[in-house]
Amino acid sequence: NHFQILWRVIVPLSRPALITIAILSFLYHWNDFLGPLIYLSSPDKFTLALGLSHFQGEYSAEWGRLMAASTVMLIPVIALFFFAQRYFIKGITMSGLKG
């Protein structure tokens, strides 16, 4: 059956590459600044990246709060990396191999 071949052969072999793509896509959307800046007009709906930019004023910045918020924003990214580290590294190393 073609579906069984896909599910039992191709998906297990491509799982590290798919997980790597998912991690990189998550990081891209998590850190996206310009997209939400263009589409969102209400400060209640701002993403975390846009919220970090509001800690900087026109003439000064609240560095303590900015660094604390940056650390809190970094925690999910670090947790995701530690959770999927072996798949991420395996996917990166497999992408450089010739078939």
Side-chain angles (χ1 to χ4, degrees):
N1 189 352
H2 293 291
F3 182 72
Q4 288 177 341
I5 292 171
L6 175 74
W7 191 251
R8 293 185 182 180
V9 177
I10 296 174
V11 170
L13 289 174
S14 62
R15 183 174 290 141
L18 292 174
I19 291 174
T20 301
I21 290 171
I23 291 170
L24 293 176
S25 177
F26 171 77
L27 290 176
Y28 172 76
H29 291 293
W30 182 261
N31 292 324
D32 190 18
F33 181 78
L34 288 178
L37 182 63
I38 292 170
Y39 298 126
L40 299 176
S41 59
S42 171
D44 296 336
K45 298 178 183 176
F46 279 178
T47 61
L48 291 175
L50 288 175
L52 284 177
S53 70
H54 280 89
F55 281 112
Q56 295 179 344
E58 188 173 340
Y59 300 109
S60 66
E62 299 179 28
W63 292 109
R65 292 183 181 180
L66 182 64
M67 291 301 131
S70 298
T71 304
V72 169
M73 186 177 167
L74 190 64
I75 290 172
V77 174
I78 292 173
L80 175 70
F81 178 75
F82 283 128
F83 176 71
Q85 180 179 6
R86 72 178 153 165
Y87 295 111
F88 181 69
I89 292 174
K90 191 184 289 185
I92 294 293
T93 57
M94 284 179 53
S95 66
L97 296 177
K98 291 185 179 181

